[in-house]
Amino acid sequence: MVIHAYSEEYLYSAQRIMGDMFDYASDSYEMDLDVFFSMFLVSDVAYQFQTGNPSYVAGKTGCELVKEVIRKSGLSLPDLPEEMYLDKSPEFWAGWALAFYQWYTGKTFQRIYKAVPIREILRMYPAFHEMDIMQFADAMNERLAKFYTETNLQRYRLYAGLSQGELAQISNIPVRQIRLFEERRQNINHARAITVMKLV
């Protein structure tokens, strides 16, 4: 079960702000969105957004976020007029959909971007922009699963220096169950909470 960084009440606002941020960065500043998003990631703006700081997910405009990212990146660019576009572009949709996916999964923007760059999200626009957002989320989950071949459970187990057998002994969860989780043949997100707690 994912614990969301901020209430669903802020989600629409967060999606709109990130959509406007992408629009403004690409249309007004004519920035490549992968370049801009890299700047976004190294500024603390990404952290503030993904952790649900209310002033970032509801209080500021997308234009203000672009200017903050530019300023924190040390670039000296002209202060362009803030424009919101009525027609929603593929860039707007990419930001809107990405904000939803980050909120829904609780993954960091860095982790998402490493597996699926913005240019790939933009390529998803023709097929997904009129679909239910959950279909986009499912497609993103597939892409991340292909990129990150280790599950979180496997990564944490290896980090702790444990074999599957040792983890089974410590947690009192059968080795077969651990193997099924790590091979993604059984979804750990659908396991009973007590099972997950034993593995932590």
Side-chain angles (χ1 to χ4, degrees):
M1 180 177 167
V2 175
I3 298 174
H4 302 296
Y6 51 94
S7 165
E8 190 170 359
E9 293 174 11
Y10 289 112
L11 181 57
Y12 174 79
S13 171
Q15 288 181 268
R16 184 182 41 76
I17 289 168
M18 185 158 279
D20 286 338
M21 180 180 78
F22 275 29
D23 240 3
Y24 187 61
S26 66
D27 289 351
S28 294
Y29 279 96
E30 299 179 348
M31 296 181 81
D32 176 275
L33 280 182
D34 278 307
V35 172
F36 172 76
F37 202 71
S38 296
M39 293 165 49
F40 170 76
L41 290 174
V42 298
S43 72
D44 74 331
V45 178
Y47 176 79
Q48 297 299 330
F49 200 99
Q50 73 196 13
T51 56
N53 181 328
S55 67
Y56 286 81
V57 298
K60 298 186 181 203
T61 67
C63 300
E64 289 172 325
L65 291 187
V66 169
K67 291 179 180 184
E68 187 173 337
V69 167
I70 289 170
R71 188 177 66 255
K72 289 184 174 183
S73 298
L75 293 179
S76 181
L77 296 177
D79 188 15
L80 300 177
E82 295 187 7
E83 295 181 274
M84 302 295 185
Y85 305 96
L86 293 176
D87 56 330
K88 299 308 179 191
S89 67
E91 290 79 12
F92 177 90
W93 176 84
W96 178 88
L98 179 59
F100 174 85
Y101 184 71
Q102 188 282 318
W103 174 85
Y104 176 71
T105 63
K107 297 178 187 332
T108 65
F109 284 119
Q110 179 71 42
R111 184 166 178 79
I112 296 166
Y113 181 69
K114 191 172 178 184
V116 187
I118 303 305
R119 65 184 169 276
E120 183 155 338
I121 294 175
L122 284 168
R123 283 197 286 268
M124 295 169 75
Y125 173 80
F128 288 94
H129 79 282
E130 291 183 349
M131 290 185 185
D132 183 277
I133 190 66
M134 289 309 299
Q135 291 179 289
F136 169 76
D138 290 343
M140 288 290 285
N141 283 338
E142 288 175 19
R143 285 166 168 79
L144 266 74
K146 285 180 185 172
F147 185 84
Y148 296 107
T149 55
E150 291 179 344
T151 62
N152 286 339
L153 175 61
Q154 184 179 15
R155 189 168 53 257
Y156 293 139
R157 176 180 62 75
L158 293 172
Y159 181 76
L162 299 172
S163 68
Q164 288 180 341
E166 290 167 330
L167 179 58
Q169 191 172 23
I170 292 168
S171 65
N172 202 26
I173 302 290
V175 174
R176 183 176 185 281
Q177 186 71 49
I178 292 169
R179 190 175 304 118
L180 289 172
F181 287 146
E182 289 192 358
E183 293 173 358
R184 290 192 171 93
R185 289 191 287 153
Q186 193 165 40
N187 190 339
I188 198 167
N189 294 325
H190 297 150
R192 292 186 350 214
I194 190 70
T195 302
V196 176
M197 290 302 295
K198 287 179 180 179
L199 291 169
V200 175

